[in-house]
Amino acid sequence: IQWYPGHMAKAQKQIKERLKLVDIILEIVDARVPESSINPMIQELGQNKPVLLILNKADMADAQKTQQWIETFKKRGITAIALDAQHKAKLPMIEKVAQEILADKLAKKRAKGIRNPVIRAMCVGVPNVGKSTILNRLMHKNIAVTGNRPGVTKNQQWLKASERFEVLDTPGVLWPKFDDPAVGNKLALTGAISDVVYHADDVVVFALDYFKQFYPNQLRKTYQATDADLEQSSPELIMILTKRLGFKEDYDRFCIKFINDARQGKLGRFTLDPVPAEAKGND
Ligand code: GTP
């Protein structure tokens, strides 16, 4: 997806309209970049509707950091859960936590005589975080209800995840934020920004700096990097590993492979957003 100002304004308006129809916003982020893939605009677009933050692709993230991030968000007043959308069994958790967040609202509806109030939700998130996967998995029964409610276009559909939980069939795609070059590198490495807008070598230098510090064993394991290699600067390390893989001096080829390996989980699990100090406890 290319983000032009006009396109962004239109997308924003559409998301805002559709968010009016829901009780809760499911903001999907990538657990490997829980802070960099979040979109602060959502509060404004959703007019302060409750948000459930879903740290998806948790199977690819550093498990300890995911827990620490969930704690961090909790301290910031945001309910977050970890998810691996590939594992269907974990999806009911979304409904359960949504019920908890909306407990007061649901209690009021019950008091008014609505016995089984339905929760309506919409998924939003930057590209490639797993929005469609979650929707597909949620509607495992394939029951869709057409939206014949006020303000809903005729072909707008609600996917019925359960008797009391409906999700709008199309997710809202948010633009990634680029206020910091490191954020751009992180989003490129995890696949949230498309291949045309970043330089592979910048992304890999950034990633190697980070992996040398936090995940050196994963570089040893995946590329047979030695201790001596890991002491080199990242641009030098790119040259060494390019040769080792038999790519001669085709450094671009190595960089592209590295990015693909990271995106596909071949580099092991990692989290690129450092957890703020206060959540780390004693470790
Ligand atoms: P856009 O249409 O670009 O906005 O993407 P999206 O947010 O709808 O993401 P999509 O569901 O298409 O998923 C992107 C890729 O991530 C796909 O290859 C999915 O199979 C994969 N994926 C989604 N969820 C998970 C997950 O929890 N774990 C892993 N490992 N992969 C996932």
Side-chain angles (χ1 to χ4, degrees), residues 20 47 58 73 83 94 97 131 147 152 173 182 187 237 241 249:
K20 284 184 188 153
Q47 287 131 35
F73 286 122
L83 186 77
I94 300 177
V97 180
K131 299 178 294 299
V152 190
V173 185
L187 293 176
L237 187 54
L241 297 180
E249 290 181 3

Side-chain angles (χ1 to χ4, degrees), residues 56-57 59-60 83-86 126-133 173:
N56 191 39
K57 306 199 184 182
D59 56 310
M60 300 180 92
L83 186 77
D84 163 9
Q86 318 268 43
V126 301
N128 207 41
V129 289
K131 299 178 294 299
S132 308
T133 306
V173 185

